[in-house]
Amino acid sequence: MGGTATGSDPGRAVKVLWLIVLGCKNEQDESSVVESSEAVVLGEQKSCAAPVPEGPGRFTEEGAARGLSIDRPAFWGDYTSFDGSLVATDLEGDGDPDLLLGRVEGAPDGFLNDGTGHFTKMDRLFGDVLDRFPAIATTGATDLDGDGLPEILMVGLGGMMVAWNKGNLNFSEAEILWMHEGDQVPFYISYGLGDMDGDGDLDVALPALDTLPRNIYAAPDPELGFLGSPVQLLRNDGGTFVADGQLTPEGTAGFSMYALFSDREGDGDQDLLVSSVQLGFLERLAPQAFYRNDPDGWHNDAVVTAMDLSISAMGGDVLDLNGDGRLDYCFSDTGPVLCMLNDGQGAYYDVGLTRGMIPEGWDPNLQWSGWTIEIQDYDHDGYWDAFLGAGDEVHPRLFWEPWSQGDKPPDDREAYHHDTLLWGSADGNFVDRAAEIVFDLPEYHYGGAAADFDGDGWLEMVLQPQGKGPAFWQNHCGEGAWLTIDLVGDVGNREAIGAVVEVEVGEQKWSRQVLPLRGFGQSPSQVHFGFGAVDEVDRLSVHWTDGSETVVEKVGTRREILVRK
């Protein structure tokens, strides 16, 4: 059924498997047979009984009907707290993505998926954390102990916490994973996960928005406020996370919303992208940084790679946007999406504005701020689409005078925003088509995710407003071909965070990276592609983070594939 071969590089193992699909018809045909191997398991091919045409008209909003409702007030406090992170992940290991809705003041709300995209609210996942962790910025979920079940991770004022998944939907009480010492502590906004030291397990990068009093209601020292904070690195030492240095571009601390590990050079080392948040009332904050991971340490070469962007990036995505086989980096911003394409010479250039990745009616004189960004092929025509949740622009509010729960704080500027649905086409350009399906909802949406909640192979879109149940956009199936690839890595990185999957059909290529939490939203750690009218892909390659590669030849589409390292 295939075998193992060694490529021209003697240091890189290449596992090649030839997969034969015999008599696959559709999901109801019990006589269909799929040959698999120990390393690669093919799911049955699926068909759509009532296909709908391509385009955004395939979506209908069904959040309330799907059981997604919460009864809690929106949290409005300081300028660093946004009650709206969202995670789509399989909490119980049954193959269906569930939902976690993050909270500033405690454990997230959990919603269990019954496999059809209908949800039941779970009991409280774990106890109170406010005595140790007075403000949570973002909630995520990743398998840290290699048992196949995701832990719940939370970052916020001063550190990071974890609730261990013990199986059967039982979680430990949240415990400190790492905490900054002192009375003045960074407000960590999200986290990046990646194997930064090449030892096979996941390390952490913590970006922060500012340094603030540990006592959330204490007045900040005027000499300390709005000075930014370094990125804190945490090394995973056998399951214990220890401080492993701080990073500041050019020695100047900045404001940052997310950090992202990615092997941009393809040399087997996980490099580190650190976003920037630019506030107009400050003369200078550090621009975006791109740290190259070298044997002698981290080197910020954002200037020479043209990644030293002075933007306010709240979320990001990593994929091959133009099909040239190289990874590109796209960011939300206060304005057009920035998609930095790899020029093949080690630098990047932006095509977001020229390709129409802007909200409909955008006026540069008004404030529009994109937050979560999810680039996928939602109608499987072979061209990338994207949605962005829009929220309030990051700007200072008096930290020691929090507004009462449920009340939106006063605003001294004209607000302008709507969620954006960017639809891609064969020429590589995008058009905002949110208004066609009333996707441009009025609430602020900070977190979002894309996942196949009902198991038909088509990705739903979920956005989380403050103090309300999520907006759930059901994706009705169609005729386009697709593949979903689920990777199983080594014990220390079971979800294969940082691996890159590439698919080839003739001269066409699609590539993307397996990503954890990135900003305020997290989708399942799977890779999904659409192909149009393609029944078989020529080649599927998995580039693992240790430099090894698994290659699968001749794979039929419209199915899920499990690839083990």
Side-chain angles (χ1 to χ4, degrees):
M1 179 59 197
T4 301
T6 302
S8 58
D9 180 356
R12 187 183 68 173
V14 182
K15 190 184 297 178
V16 184
L17 301 107
W18 290 266
L19 302 179
I20 304 173
V21 181
L22 303 176
C24 291
K25 296 178 181 180
N26 56 52
E27 56 190 326
Q28 286 80 34
D29 188 351
E30 296 181 357
S31 66
S32 63
V33 177
V34 177
E35 288 195 12
S36 302
S37 74
E38 182 179 349
V40 178
V41 179
L42 277 72
E44 289 189 352
Q45 288 183 317
K46 299 181 181 181
S47 62
C48 181
V52 300
E54 296 176 355
R58 65 190 323 100
F59 288 104
T60 54
E61 202 289 305
E62 302 178 9
R66 298 277 172 162
L68 294 174
S69 62
I70 56 176
D71 183 18
R72 75 185 197 209
F75 181 93
W76 297 98
D78 62 275
Y79 77 102
T80 60
S81 297
F82 302 97
D83 198 19
S85 62
L86 181 142
V87 181
T89 189
D90 182 4
L91 292 172
E92 56 180 336
D94 63 353
D96 304 318
D98 309 300
L99 285 173
L100 292 172
L101 313 183
R103 305 183 65 170
V104 171
E105 295 189 307
D109 291 312
F111 286 85
L112 192 63
N113 183 4
D114 69 356
T116 70
H118 293 79
F119 298 86
T120 301
K121 191 175 186 303
M122 301 168 63
D123 293 333
R124 193 174 187 186
L125 296 174
F126 47 85
D128 191 19
V129 301
L130 296 182
D131 57 336
R132 294 157 292 155
F133 217 63
I136 297 170
T138 307
T139 297
T142 295
D143 181 6
L144 291 183
D145 57 12
D147 65 354
L149 297 171
E151 277 62 60
I152 297 176
L153 300 168
M154 297 157 286
V155 292
L157 189 60
M160 189 173 192
M161 298 190 76
V162 59
W164 297 95
N165 192 333
K166 299 190 292 184
N168 298 318
L169 298 176
N170 293 315
F171 290 85
S172 72
E173 291 300 304
E175 62 184 55
I176 299 295
L177 197 67
W178 184 84
M179 183 62 70
H180 194 284
E181 297 180 355
D183 295 329
Q184 298 287 330
V185 297
F187 199 108
Y188 297 116
I189 296 300
S190 66
Y191 60 83
L193 290 177
D195 184 7
M196 67 183 184
D197 53 5
D199 64 352
D201 57 24
L202 291 172
D203 308 297
V204 177
L206 296 176
L209 200 56
D210 205 354
T211 299
L212 299 168
R214 187 181 296 277
N215 180 354
I216 191 171
Y217 295 112
D221 186 335
E223 296 183 0
L224 296 177
F226 307 127
L227 295 180
S229 181
V231 174
Q232 177 69 55
L233 300 179
L234 304 179
R235 177 172 47 84
N236 188 341
D237 186 6
T240 300
F241 290 83
V242 297
D244 195 41
Q246 297 180 331
L247 297 177
T248 55
E250 302 175 0
T252 303
F255 285 16
S256 180
M257 300 292 282
Y258 72 90
L260 177 68
F261 286 101
S262 177
D263 182 7
R264 72 172 196 254
E265 300 170 301
D267 61 358
D269 296 323
Q270 291 291 298
D271 308 300
L272 180 61
L273 176 77
V274 178
S275 77
S276 66
V277 176
Q278 298 295 316
L279 302 180
F281 73 101
L282 295 178
E283 292 184 359
R284 183 184 186 278
L285 285 172
Q288 186 163 271
F290 212 174
Y291 294 98
R292 190 179 68 252
N293 190 351
D294 287 340
D296 62 343
W298 299 94
H299 300 275
N300 180 23
D301 58 5
V303 173
V304 298
T305 59
M307 279 287 200
D308 58 330
L309 306 171
S310 294
I311 60 176
S312 292
M314 315 300 184
D317 210 342
V318 184
L319 71 162
D320 179 8
L321 190 71
N322 59 351
D324 64 358
R326 296 186 290 264
L327 289 179
D328 309 308
Y329 298 83
C330 297
F331 318 110
S332 60
D333 190 21
T334 51
V337 175
L338 281 87
C339 272
M340 304 296 291
L341 266 58
N342 190 325
D343 68 359
Q345 305 298 318
Y348 299 83
Y349 60 98
D350 177 35
V351 298
L353 183 60
T354 59
R355 293 199 175 190
M357 302 185 78
I358 55 177
E360 177 68 24
W362 175 67
D363 184 338
N365 296 315
L366 298 175
Q367 296 298 331
W368 181 91
S369 183
W371 284 71
T372 191
I373 178 171
E374 279 288 342
I375 302 178
Q376 300 281 355
D377 183 357
Y378 291 103
D379 60 352
H380 298 162
D381 61 357
Y383 312 118
W384 297 114
D385 313 302
F387 78 77
L388 286 88
D392 199 9
E393 182 194 17
V394 176
H395 65 286
R397 298 170 181 154
L398 296 179
F399 187 81
W400 55 94
E401 293 181 3
W403 286 269
S404 61
Q405 294 240 1
D407 295 331
K408 185 181 183 301
D411 207 340
D412 58 0
R413 60 170 175 78
E414 182 179 7
Y416 166 80
H417 82 282
H418 69 256
D419 301 325
T420 299
L421 184 59
L422 300 172
W423 215 253
S425 58
D427 61 6
N429 293 325
F430 297 81
V431 175
D432 183 4
R433 300 177 64 178
E436 296 179 25
I437 58 170
V438 199
F439 186 75
D440 48 348
L441 299 173
E443 298 91 359
Y444 289 169
H445 293 109
Y446 296 122
D452 177 13
F453 289 97
D454 55 9
D456 65 355
W458 297 73
L459 301 179
E460 279 70 51
M461 304 183 297
V462 189
L463 283 168
Q464 173 57 26
Q466 291 184 314
K468 296 175 61 176
F472 182 93
W473 293 91
Q474 174 66 27
N475 191 353
H476 300 277
C477 64
E479 295 181 344
W482 54 273
L483 282 175
T484 297
I485 301 98
D486 196 2
L487 305 183
V488 179
D490 296 327
V491 172
N493 184 8
R494 187 180 176 91
E495 295 181 59
I497 301 299
V500 175
V501 180
E502 180 179 82
V503 178
E504 301 176 43
V505 178
E507 298 298 319
Q508 292 182 285
K509 293 182 179 180
W510 294 262
S511 303
R512 67 178 310 131
Q513 179 179 321
V514 180
L515 295 171
L517 175 75
R518 46 202 169 90
F520 278 68
Q522 180 180 342
S523 297
S525 56
Q526 298 171 325
V527 174
H528 187 89
F529 301 101
F531 303 107
V534 173
D535 293 326
E536 182 183 78
V537 301
D538 297 328
R539 181 181 176 94
L540 185 154
S541 305
V542 179
H543 304 274
W544 305 95
T545 57
D546 65 357
S548 63
E549 183 178 9
T550 300
V551 177
V552 185
E553 306 279 1
K554 302 298 182 183
V555 182
T557 57
R558 299 179 178 87
R559 57 159 41 98
E560 300 174 6
I561 302 177
L562 178 71
V563 182
R564 294 188 177 93
K565 189 173 181 302

